[in-house]
Amino acid sequence: MSLLSVTVKKAHYVGAPGAAQFNSYVTLKLQNVKSTTVTVKGASPCWEQDFLFETNDLNTGLLIEVWSKGMIWDRAMGYHWLPLQGIPYTTNQAEAAKWLSLDAELVMRDSEVVGTKNPTGNSLLVECRFELPFGVLASLIARNVLLLRIDAATLPRDGAACWRMRNSCALPVVAGAPPSSPFPKLALP
């Protein structure tokens, strides 16, 4: 079971007459679950709303929809399809925040959304990441402490080899790594 954390931050609308009068909201759809932000007015609305989704299927995606609230019907302002396999497992919120381009149309296959097309010029800032499972961060830190204790004589002498060795682990390193370490320090939250 994976836990997907999504923060809808803000949007920027361009080229639409009366954009300052939009009352817009965002819906997030993952499998059979739908979550919605509050409605915010303006051409650059700010929500800063957090959502959590549980999923077992990483072969699907998150459908993000931006809507303008109307008197009778709401109007779609754009869509973005975010494949789950492209979302990182991280504790770094800055790494997970991205401006997403909104498209005008959904791409369907067998009555399932598989993408979006035709850019609208509108964009949405979303922070999207998978949470590390309970206990994984502690075990990663413990493993890196062991890596840092490797005798300096066993480390490669050239910088490129050290960099390849570090990247092959694909693990963060611990805060407070010694200055002589080939591994950079990790700023833990």
Side-chain angles (χ1 to χ4, degrees):
M1 174 91 46
S2 295
L3 190 62
L4 177 64
S5 172
V6 180
T7 302
V8 177
K9 294 191 164 286
K10 57 186 172 180
H12 181 69
Y13 308 134
V14 295
Q21 299 303 314
F22 285 147
N23 289 311
S24 55
Y25 62 94
V26 178
T27 63
L28 306 170
K29 296 177 180 177
L30 181 62
Q31 296 160 333
N32 294 325
V33 178
K34 177 181 171 180
S35 294
T36 304
T37 65
V38 296
T39 301
V40 176
K41 187 175 185 174
S44 295
C46 184
W47 292 278
E48 292 293 336
Q49 278 190 256
D50 299 321
F51 300 91
L52 287 174
F53 297 90
E54 287 183 349
T55 184
N56 285 325
D57 184 6
L58 298 181
N59 294 318
T60 186
L62 175 69
L63 178 60
I64 302 170
E65 304 174 337
V66 179
W67 293 87
S68 176
K69 196 142 191 75
M71 293 294 280
I72 298 173
W73 289 302
D74 296 349
R75 183 176 69 85
M77 297 182 65
Y79 308 96
H80 189 88
W81 175 254
L82 197 56
L84 296 185
Q85 292 179 346
I87 298 173
Y89 280 86
T90 183
T91 57
N92 183 344
Q93 294 177 339
E95 177 185 309
K98 292 184 180 158
W99 279 100
L100 305 176
S101 172
L102 298 176
D103 295 326
E105 296 179 50
L106 297 173
V107 177
M108 308 290 284
R109 185 180 310 131
D110 298 326
S111 59
E112 298 256 340
V113 177
V114 294
T116 57
K117 63 181 182 179
N118 300 331
T120 62
N122 298 328
S123 55
L124 181 70
L125 181 60
V126 174
E127 178 186 298
C128 199
R129 62 192 166 91
F130 281 108
E131 298 287 340
L132 291 171
F134 180 74
V136 168
L137 185 57
S139 65
L140 290 177
I141 291 171
R143 179 151 190 258
N144 281 306
V145 167
L146 292 175
L147 287 174
L148 291 173
R149 291 183 182 159
I150 295 173
D151 181 25
T154 64
L155 290 175
R157 292 293 177 212
D158 70 81
C162 288
W163 184 252
R164 282 192 304 276
M165 182 178 157
R166 178 200 172 271
N167 286 339
S168 69
C169 295
L171 299 172
V173 295
V174 298
S180 62
S181 170
F183 302 99
K185 293 180 182 180
L186 171 67
L188 295 174

